[in-house]
Amino acid sequence: MKSNHKLKKGEKTLNPNKANKNRNANKGGKGIKGSSFASAPLPSTSVTRMAVTPAVVVPALLTSATRPKLRTIHDSNGKVRTLKKWCFDERTPVYFAPDELGPSSVLNKGAVVELTGKKRKISISDLSTSWSEMAYAFYDKKVQTVTHWVIGWVNDAYLDDYNEKFPDSGVVIPNPTTDPHDAQQYMILENKARFNMCGELCVAFIVNDDIDSALAKWKKNSPHTYNRILAAGKDIGTSESDLKNMLAAILGEYGFGSDADQIISFKERLQIPLTPERMMEALEKMLVTHYLIALVTINSSGELMRKDNLEIRQINHWVLLDKITRNGARVELYNPFPNKREEYSFNEFYFSCRLSRSGLWVKRKEAHPEDSKDDFPTFQVMISNPNPFYSAAQYIDVDGKKKTQLCGEFCVAFIVKESIDAVLEHWKEVQPNLYADTVGNNKGTGIFDLITILKAFGYTTEGDFTEFAARLTDPFLKKYMLSPGRMAKMLETHYLIAGVNIDGITGKLKGGQDVRHWVVVDKITPVGRNVGGNGGWVELYNPFPNSWEEYSYREFTKSVGAQGSWIGLWVKRNIIPKITPQVVVPSGTGNMGDRRHNSRRDGRIENGPK
């Protein structure tokens, strides 16, 4: 099967006016840019007038013919880089002129900007907010060059840190296209723009050479195949056999061997029918000695996506899988679209692989050492009498009957560091009617129920717990602002009990609303953006297996639901317990129903297996 990945020349993934023009795109993309914006597309400069409340006064628009002085920082590798932020809101307003009632420009979600380091404080009606001066390049399509830099001001509430884990980790592309909005894999070859180079870039990554040199060796040693794909300005997608031809033609010149197992079809090492477990077995065995060039599905931003997602246009794309990490939880791969290494969860990779399982195992020059096993946190709640015959650890016997809806009670037990038996017994003493209605009738818990359990264990001081949305609503903008960076900051001092959706058989988080469930989020590590990537990593306690788990930020947010519909509680990590008597909720179906204002969103999993 051929890769058919092409975004039309000039399309900007961040420009809403171009969003529908890539339906027929069918080829691959551009490469590394000399610009500092190489890691991500630049924002659209389209003008959109919007009313905002409150109005603000900001400095006037500035333009510069040359790149302005930008703030620099040292990254984790000690290299000096400009300070980057990314816009996590759907429409991020940029102010240019004084006394504007609305922004002069709007940045779309995922736009990456660079900061000059200048800051301003603006206060209105006793509310204060900070603003940052940012700059971005204006690309003129007519002359095909960046003609000037635009400088404007953005409310910091719209910006998240742009953390790069693998900067400068791609293939050198001597002649990238000039449009900084292009995908990074696009390039100029023999004076013609080429978009469909993902397969060739994967091969260049393996031999550790720039793309022009690798292609020159292919042209010299296998001119017939090279000419069919790239001669005379052609830009044809590469198939598995095309890549095999290129590899066979050039590996010897780079000192690779010629063993019988030097190049192997991906399918030859897979057990059929293929399952995630069988795929993992093959990867753990083969990646010690081989790379894997795999055909996957991506979206127009270059991020891996599920091959069965029919709501988004699917693009076939070659990536290079290098290794499995985090005890099998993650994969590390080279993605030609951004032309750099990236991390995805194993499940994200597995479900993006094309049904054809097209791909090639390519033998390394030297065997890759097996990755050491990570020591993960021991997240577990004590259970006095677990039943080994039940399909989930959270399914236990209470008062002689099987209970399957205790995820909320387990979450509180995890936070207060008590056994589930102690939590249930204490809640029964403090709120006998709630206990009888939920545990006695095997019902899920809502936020009201969770709060009564927390109060029973001394969480009674103001601020000990807060509903989810309240802590992420910006008081100045009066707007719900959700991002991995904001959540990571909150998790330094709080846990988050979050309502998610899970698979009713495995207990793993997944998108949808069919089996609602409570988990406790312990840590978020933001990486990149969740547009053109997966946003980083979320570590949590899952009551279903009664253990620690890790998901990508994208996987986690899909399981939670649409932004604005999140249900949960922030709970302080460290408190001074203060026990105060609670008002006992009276019995009666009316009261029971009132306190659980939305049972499906508040954490019941009654649609799951009993």
Side-chain angles (χ1 to χ4, degrees):
M1 179 178 291
K2 291 185 178 182
S3 161
N4 66 347
H5 171 204
K6 177 182 177 181
L7 295 180
K8 290 182 179 179
K9 179 68 178 71
E11 282 191 355
K12 301 176 179 61
T13 59
L14 300 176
N15 190 335
N17 298 321
K18 301 288 186 178
N20 295 322
K21 290 191 177 182
N22 61 3
R23 292 174 184 158
N24 300 318
N26 59 3
K27 294 184 179 179
K30 293 181 184 175
I32 291 177
K33 302 290 189 295
S35 162
S36 61
F37 286 94
S39 60
L42 286 177
S44 163
T45 55
S46 59
V47 176
T48 304
R49 283 285 174 183
M50 300 170 57
V52 293
T53 303
V56 295
V57 178
V58 295
L61 163 70
L62 295 174
T63 61
S64 173
T66 59
R67 180 172 173 167
K69 184 178 180 181
L70 301 170
R71 182 183 171 187
T72 58
I73 59 172
H74 288 84
D75 65 16
S76 57
N77 297 319
K79 292 186 176 181
V80 177
R81 300 189 182 279
T82 57
L83 179 60
K84 297 178 182 179
K85 299 274 187 176
W86 71 279
C87 305
F88 60 81
D89 197 61
E90 294 293 342
R91 307 279 285 173
T92 298
V94 180
Y95 289 82
F96 293 152
D99 302 309
E100 286 189 306
L101 295 179
S104 290
S105 184
V106 173
L107 305 180
N108 287 1
K109 185 175 182 178
V112 177
V113 298
E114 294 177 296
L115 304 185
T116 66
K118 295 181 181 179
K119 304 279 290 186
R120 283 180 64 91
K121 288 283 187 181
I122 297 177
S123 298
I124 297 178
S125 302
D126 297 326
L127 293 176
S128 178
T129 186
S130 64
W131 292 65
S132 292
E133 187 183 56
M134 44 142 273
Y136 58 83
F138 182 85
Y139 182 81
D140 190 326
K141 294 180 184 179
K142 292 182 180 180
V143 297
Q144 296 188 3
T145 188
V146 173
T147 58
H148 61 275
W149 285 72
V150 178
I151 303 173
W153 291 82
V154 175
N155 190 322
D156 287 337
Y158 289 98
L159 302 177
D160 233 17
D161 290 339
Y162 186 68
N163 305 306
E164 293 185 90
K165 186 170 183 179
F166 302 107
D168 306 325
S169 58
V171 173
V172 173
I173 300 175
N175 298 293
T177 55
T178 57
D179 189 344
H181 297 85
D182 283 338
Q184 302 299 292
Q185 73 177 43
Y186 295 3
M187 68 187 70
I188 304 297
L189 180 66
E190 298 174 353
N191 298 317
K192 295 287 185 178
R194 312 299 173 99
F195 312 106
N196 202 22
M197 303 293 290
C198 51
E200 293 91 333
L201 283 166
C202 286
V203 174
F205 187 91
I206 289 174
V207 299
N208 194 27
D209 202 353
D210 69 82
I211 185 64
D212 285 4
S213 297
L215 291 175
K217 290 179 173 59
W218 188 24
K219 184 177 182 179
K220 180 186 75 172
N221 297 328
S222 184
H224 175 75
T225 304
Y226 174 90
N227 290 336
R228 178 173 58 82
I229 301 295
L230 293 173
K234 295 176 184 175
D235 189 26
I236 299 174
T238 47
S239 66
E240 181 179 312
S241 61
D242 297 327
L243 295 181
K244 187 174 183 179
N245 174 275
M246 182 180 180
L247 287 161
I250 72 172
L251 285 183
E253 293 208 22
Y254 288 97
F256 284 74
S258 57
D259 303 336
D261 65 345
Q262 190 67 39
I263 306 172
I264 308 170
S265 176
F266 183 23
K267 294 185 287 288
E268 288 185 22
R269 293 296 186 267
L270 300 177
Q271 294 186 54
I272 304 299
L274 189 63
T275 64
E277 292 75 21
R278 287 177 172 178
M279 170 80 89
M280 178 60 71
E281 289 177 6
L283 295 178
E284 289 181 334
K285 179 180 179 181
M286 290 295 296
L287 288 177
V288 175
T289 54
H290 291 69
Y291 296 105
L292 172 63
I293 302 177
L295 191 68
V296 298
T297 304
I298 62 171
N299 61 19
S300 59
S301 294
E303 64 188 342
L304 272 61
M305 57 172 282
R306 290 182 67 102
K307 58 183 176 290
D308 57 359
N309 187 342
L310 302 180
E311 297 179 359
I312 302 175
R313 184 177 66 88
Q314 297 184 356
I315 304 169
N316 291 343
H317 182 67
W318 293 112
V319 298
L320 179 74
L321 190 63
D322 184 31
K323 56 186 175 181
I324 301 291
T325 62
R326 301 285 282 179
N327 300 354
R330 303 183 196 175
V331 299
E332 187 177 312
L333 54 81
Y334 164 68
N335 184 352
F337 189 99
N339 191 29
K340 65 180 179 181
R341 286 179 178 265
E342 293 184 322
E343 282 186 323
Y344 286 90
S345 73
F346 168 75
N347 282 337
E348 286 175 314
F349 171 74
Y350 176 83
F351 288 110
S352 75
C353 281
R354 300 305 302 167
L355 294 174
S356 64
R357 308 298 176 193
S358 294
L360 294 170
W361 301 101
V362 184
K363 196 167 187 178
R364 303 172 186 265
K365 271 189 177 182
E366 297 180 0
H368 190 284
E370 292 190 39
D371 292 301
S372 58
K373 297 298 181 181
D374 289 291
D375 292 325
F376 294 140
T378 302
F379 282 3
Q380 195 172 58
V381 170
M382 176 82 65
I383 304 172
S384 296
N385 295 296
N387 192 321
F389 297 102
Y390 292 159
S391 58
Q394 78 169 54
Y395 297 171
I396 63 174
D397 293 314
V398 180
D399 300 327
K401 294 182 179 180
K402 180 181 179 181
K403 306 298 180 183
T404 61
Q405 312 294 327
L406 296 172
C407 55
E409 292 91 332
F410 266 91
C411 286
V412 175
F414 170 78
I415 291 174
V416 301
K417 299 177 176 57
E418 293 281 356
S419 70
I420 185 62
D421 308 88
V423 166
L424 292 176
E425 186 62 32
H426 193 38
W427 191 33
K428 184 178 182 180
E429 293 175 1
V430 175
Q431 290 288 356
N433 297 324
L434 288 183
Y435 177 89
D437 183 53
T438 54
V439 180
N441 294 319
N442 199 26
K443 293 181 179 179
T445 48
I447 287 179
F448 180 90
D449 306 312
L450 300 179
I451 290 174
T452 65
I453 306 173
L454 287 166
K455 286 183 175 180
F457 284 88
Y459 286 76
T460 57
T461 303
E462 184 178 357
D464 283 352
F465 56 82
T466 315
E467 289 206 35
F468 176 80
R471 296 304 294 265
L472 293 177
T473 299
D474 187 89
F476 186 87
L477 298 172
K478 296 180 173 58
K479 186 175 180 180
Y480 181 68
M481 306 295 284
L482 176 65
S483 73
R486 282 174 162 249
M487 292 184 64
K489 184 66 176 176
M490 276 293 296
L491 288 169
E492 293 176 4
T493 55
H494 292 71
Y495 292 109
L496 172 63
I497 302 178
V500 298
N501 189 66
I502 61 169
D503 183 290
I505 303 301
T506 66
K508 296 291 186 181
L509 272 60
K510 71 170 195 175
Q513 292 285 324
D514 50 333
V515 183
R516 301 304 292 173
H517 182 67
W518 292 116
V519 298
V520 180
V521 180
D522 179 61
K523 181 181 179 182
I524 290 179
T525 305
V527 179
R529 309 166 294 159
N530 53 325
V531 177
N534 59 21
W537 301 99
V538 178
E539 299 180 39
L540 55 83
Y541 163 72
N542 186 348
F544 194 95
N546 191 27
S547 65
W548 177 95
E549 289 183 340
E550 179 185 73
Y551 295 88
S552 73
Y553 182 78
R554 180 175 62 173
E555 287 176 308
F556 172 71
T557 55
K558 284 185 176 181
S559 76
V560 174
Q563 182 166 323
S565 65
W566 286 33
I567 298 298
L569 278 176
W570 296 102
V571 183
K572 274 191 176 180
R573 292 178 180 267
N574 300 302
I575 67 163
I576 300 175
K578 183 180 179 182
I579 306 298
T580 59
Q582 293 189 43
V583 176
V584 176
V585 175
S587 60
T589 56
N591 288 324
M592 297 302 106
D594 290 342
R595 110 274 184 179
R596 212 177 267 115
H597 50 86
N598 189 329
S599 60
R600 283 177 60 79
R601 289 172 59 191
D602 275 0
R604 291 194 189 186
I605 57 171
E606 294 169 343
N607 294 326
K610 302 295 184 183

